[in-house]
Amino acid sequence: MNDSNRNDPYDDPDYDPNRPPAHVGSAPAAPENIAQRSSSDPALQPGWERATLEKLAFAALNEQKASRRWKTFVRLSWLAFFVFLVWFAMHRSTATSVSTPHTAVVEIKGEIAAGADASAEFVNAALRAAFEDEGAKAVVLLINSPGGSPVQAGMMSDEIVRLKAKHKKPVYAVVEETCASAAYYVAASADQIFVDKASIVGSIGVLMDGFGFTGLMDKVGVERRLLTAGENKGFLDPFSPQTEKQRAYAQTMLDQIHQQFITVVKAGRGKRLKETPDMFSGLFWTGQQAVELGLADNVGSLEYVAREIVKTEEIIDYTRRENVAEKLAKRFGAAIGDGAIRSLKAIPSIR
């Protein structure tokens, strides 16, 4: 059968009958296919090892940068939090202003000293807030203190007198366990003083204490080498002898401060005092004895004063206390002046 559409290979002028037939599956790949594979496969490209190492190095650097950014963010967050706490401490009010009638309370507890809770800075701030609140019908000083600095006590006493005259509000002192020395200095500025029968009240005096080691140093053969500019610069040094002139000078200073104390007590208590030879000698008495001597007015607690004297049973505490931010700030700066503070503590204190 003849097929007119079929091509006869013998009709092809290029046909070579001696050429072996081509097999489809065994033909080698074309050069262009090999080039295409090498361009698509990174492992066949020249320098691929270097490119891989560069990628790994850049990935490690990016990870380190991210870690540093995170640490910086955390530190800045803590710093912002600390700044916020400080700002909050500086701008917060001592107590919330209350319009309803109430009895305002300011605590004076512990040693009266600069930097303590019972310092003039804290107490006077609380007193101002209490007096300025229109709802406060009276201010009560809740006292439990053995005394302390006459300077701090004098600042509190002066502020109480000023605020009483300005706002025309009564001030009452309520004594818990102890109201002695500088604490009584403050209480004497109140209009009335209430105590418990067993409270300790008084100790109207001034002291300056310290130690002298000159005799001991002579026995053990220790020589004190102290250089001063001014003959009296080191007269409070515990390792140097004290002359009679220096002792007399210190006693004159103590007598002057003692007289200031007595003046405040007499001005505050007035004719209620039943003065005795021992009243200003530094002795102290029970609350019951204090009432008999006129150092106190009556026996009574804080609740009694609010209910029976002020006639307002609601009590609002205006006491100024350290918050978290202030404590943190003190810790941060605690070591800055540690050497100076220790040196100052070595100087005999007056109280």
Side-chain angles (χ1 to χ4, degrees):
M1 183 188 304
N2 293 328
D3 188 356
S4 59
N5 295 327
R6 187 178 64 183
N7 295 326
D8 189 350
Y10 295 100
D11 294 336
D12 186 359
D14 297 328
Y15 174 74
D16 184 3
N18 296 321
R19 185 175 62 186
H23 298 282
V24 178
S26 61
E32 58 271 15
N33 293 336
I34 297 176
Q36 185 178 1
R37 285 174 53 197
S38 62
S39 63
S40 61
D41 190 353
L44 299 178
Q45 295 179 0
W48 67 271
E49 299 94 340
R50 179 177 179 180
T52 303
L53 291 175
E54 287 179 352
K55 289 181 180 180
L56 291 175
F58 281 121
L61 287 174
N62 290 333
E63 185 177 353
Q64 291 179 0
K65 289 180 180 179
S67 177
R68 284 197 298 268
R69 284 195 294 266
W70 173 250
K71 289 181 180 179
T72 303
F73 171 76
V74 172
R75 291 170 181 173
L76 290 175
S77 299
W78 277 109
L79 178 62
F81 178 68
F82 177 72
V83 171
F84 170 76
L85 288 178
V86 173
W87 176 87
F88 179 76
M90 294 178 63
H91 289 81
R92 74 181 182 97
S93 58
T94 303
T96 303
S97 180
V98 181
S99 58
T100 58
H102 62 275
T103 300
V105 175
V106 176
E107 292 184 358
I108 302 176
K109 293 192 174 183
E111 182 184 6
I112 297 175
D117 288 340
S119 65
E121 177 189 2
F122 284 5
V123 172
N124 288 352
L127 287 171
R128 286 190 289 270
F131 273 97
E132 291 169 2
D133 193 327
E134 295 181 358
K137 300 305 176 184
V139 178
V140 175
L141 305 173
L142 188 59
I143 301 176
N144 185 11
S145 170
S149 167
V151 175
Q152 297 292 311
M155 294 169 66
M156 296 180 201
S157 177
D158 293 343
E159 187 68 359
I160 292 171
V161 173
R162 184 187 74 83
L163 291 172
K164 283 198 304 181
K166 179 179 179 180
H167 296 279
K168 310 299 180 184
K169 292 182 181 181
V171 178
Y172 304 105
V174 175
V175 178
E176 294 182 328
E177 281 84 1
T178 307
C179 180
S181 193
Y184 189 78
Y185 192 125
V186 178
S189 301
D191 296 304
Q192 294 184 58
I193 300 176
F194 294 85
V195 297
D196 184 84
K197 297 184 294 296
S199 297
I200 300 299
V201 181
S203 186
I204 304 172
V206 185
L207 65 85
M208 176 186 290
D209 56 356
F211 296 93
F213 298 97
T214 54
L216 178 63
M217 291 171 62
D218 292 338
K219 289 181 180 180
V220 298
V222 177
E223 179 186 359
R224 172 64 166 165
R225 295 176 180 177
L226 176 66
L227 303 177
T228 64
E231 59 177 328
N232 294 310
K233 183 62 179 178
F235 89 93
L236 293 178
D237 177 53
F239 301 102
S240 301
Q242 189 178 64
T243 66
E244 287 300 322
K245 179 181 178 181
Q246 292 170 344
R247 183 186 298 275
Y249 179 84
Q251 187 61 51
T252 301
M253 183 174 62
L254 293 177
D255 291 340
Q256 185 177 4
I257 298 173
H258 188 204
Q259 190 58 49
Q260 295 170 359
F261 194 170
I262 295 172
T263 301
V264 169
V265 172
K266 288 185 175 181
R269 302 303 299 166
K271 295 181 179 180
R272 290 171 289 185
L273 277 180
K274 299 177 178 61
E275 189 173 341
T276 65
D278 295 329
M279 178 163 286
F280 304 121
S281 66
L283 285 178
F284 47 84
W285 297 270
T286 65
Q288 184 175 351
Q289 292 173 319
V291 173
E292 295 171 357
L293 292 170
L295 294 171
D297 295 282
N298 207 342
V299 174
S301 63
L302 172 61
E303 291 74 15
Y304 170 83
V305 172
R307 182 180 62 252
E308 303 296 336
I309 307 300
V310 184
K311 307 295 183 183
T312 307
E313 293 190 39
E314 183 180 2
I315 298 172
I316 303 296
D317 189 359
Y318 287 77
T319 306
R320 173 77 160 80
R321 296 180 177 89
E322 279 188 333
N323 57 26
V324 177
E326 291 165 335
K327 290 180 180 180
L328 285 174
K330 280 191 174 182
R331 288 185 180 181
F332 275 110
I336 295 177
D338 185 62
I341 292 173
R342 290 186 180 184
S343 298
L344 288 173
K345 284 184 177 180
I347 300 176
S349 59
I350 300 175
R351 57 186 186 273

